[in-house]
Amino acid sequence: MNDGLTIRPFTFSIDLENCRITDADNHIKRNLADMKNQYFYKEAYDKMMKEDNALLYEVYEKLVPEKSGELIQGLSIVHPGKVGKEYFMTKGHFHSIIDTAELYLCLKGKGMMVMETPEGEWAIEEMIPNKAVYVPGKWAHRSVNISDTDLVTLFIYPADAGHDYGTIKEKSFRKIVIEENGKPAIMDNPMWNL
Ligand code: PAN
Ligand code: ZN
């Protein structure tokens, strides 16, 4: 399908029951160990790490040449769970070409898309099945699963966008989503730093 240089029309199929793309080119798995220092509840993190390096989320991708004009698409699956009060979430990132946008369509589960700009604006949008979230260029984004089932989203973004994880790893997001009295709540992130 894709030799990295040329591309022809193709299709792909989402197996929603099993939360996967059946003919994916790439399958990424992120575990608790990949999220070191990203959760505020550090004691809970350390305790969980001692027990099990749990699988937090997975990504299935269809690969295309990473050049301007093409689109990368795939499926993101955030599993249910919490570290302390903080729900399982993705690392989150800016795009390396920072002004490239992304569209997420929620297919299953319930979540929040946490977003912010380098200038200090932030936004959090609910993700429920059949609802799309448009992440404009310049907005860092992280998916948070606030339900007790898998959160499954289809994403589409420019193939040359690239990922800047370093900024978030260093500064984190301004807001985190925690469970308070059995419900999701948005909290200022005590770990956030300029
Ligand atoms: C998505 C994300 C995916 C996993 O494909 O990469 O949801 O999140 P992290 O990349 O933050 O670990 C996307 O936003 N791509 O640009
Ligand atoms: Zn992205």
Side-chain angles (χ1 to χ4, degrees), residues 71-82:
L71 297 169
I72 292 178
Q73 55 270 298
L75 212 59
S76 159
I77 302 103
V78 184
H79 296 300
K82 279 176 294 171

Side-chain angles (χ1 to χ4, degrees), residues 3 7-8 10 32 90-91 117 144 182:
D3 62 9
I7 192 157
R8 291 193 39 86
F10 66 89
L32 204 54
T90 59
K91 288 183 182 180
T117 65
V144 180

Side-chain angles (χ1 to χ4, degrees), residues 111-126:
M112 302 259 208
M113 182 66 79
V114 177
M115 296 168 278
E116 68 177 53
T117 65
E119 287 79 26
E121 284 176 282
W122 64 274
I124 296 184
E125 294 293 343
E126 185 188 53

